[in-house]
Amino acid sequence: MIPDVIIAHGTATVSNDEVEDSVFSTAFPNGVPVTCTKWSIGHTLGASAAMDIIAGCMMLKHRAVFGIATTSRLDPSFKSTYLIHGSDRKFSPQNILISSLGFGGVHGAVFLKGPTIE
């Protein structure tokens, strides 16, 4: 299943962001909008994945996707479709992929599926 939007871990470190971008652009070559929450909540240690799940649930509830407000331009080497400042979108995402990466190799992903809207 292809997600409508991805909430990236987005640490703003060169190593992580390049790898995450490479994975997203390879797995979804037709482009899936990518956003993250770190710009607004900072690094919450063990709670960052939980915060991303809450953000995903709010996207499903409000049928809106938020951009990365602290980013106005991207690294030109990035290939994915990032939702930067001013690119909030009003659409009804039904499927959200959340990527959570951790130090020491503790990584996870969650796929949220919203209710069917007819």
Side-chain angles (χ1 to χ4, degrees), residues 47-115:
S48 61
M51 297 302 290
D52 286 345
I53 291 170
I54 292 167
C57 290
M58 296 305 289
M59 284 182 183
L60 293 171
K61 178 179 179 179
H62 294 285
R63 299 181 182 155
V65 178
F66 55 86
I68 306 166
T70 55
T71 303
S72 58
R73 64 187 158 89
L74 296 172
D75 181 327
S77 69
F78 283 4
K79 299 176 188 96
S80 296
T81 307
Y82 291 88
L83 298 174
I84 60 173
H85 178 68
S87 62
D88 295 5
R89 294 186 181 181
K90 288 285 186 186
F91 73 95
S92 297
Q94 293 297 301
N95 305 298
I96 300 173
L97 174 63
I98 300 169
S99 171
S100 184
L101 311 173
F103 293 111
V106 180
H107 311 301
V110 173
F111 196 88
L112 299 179
K113 183 164 178 54

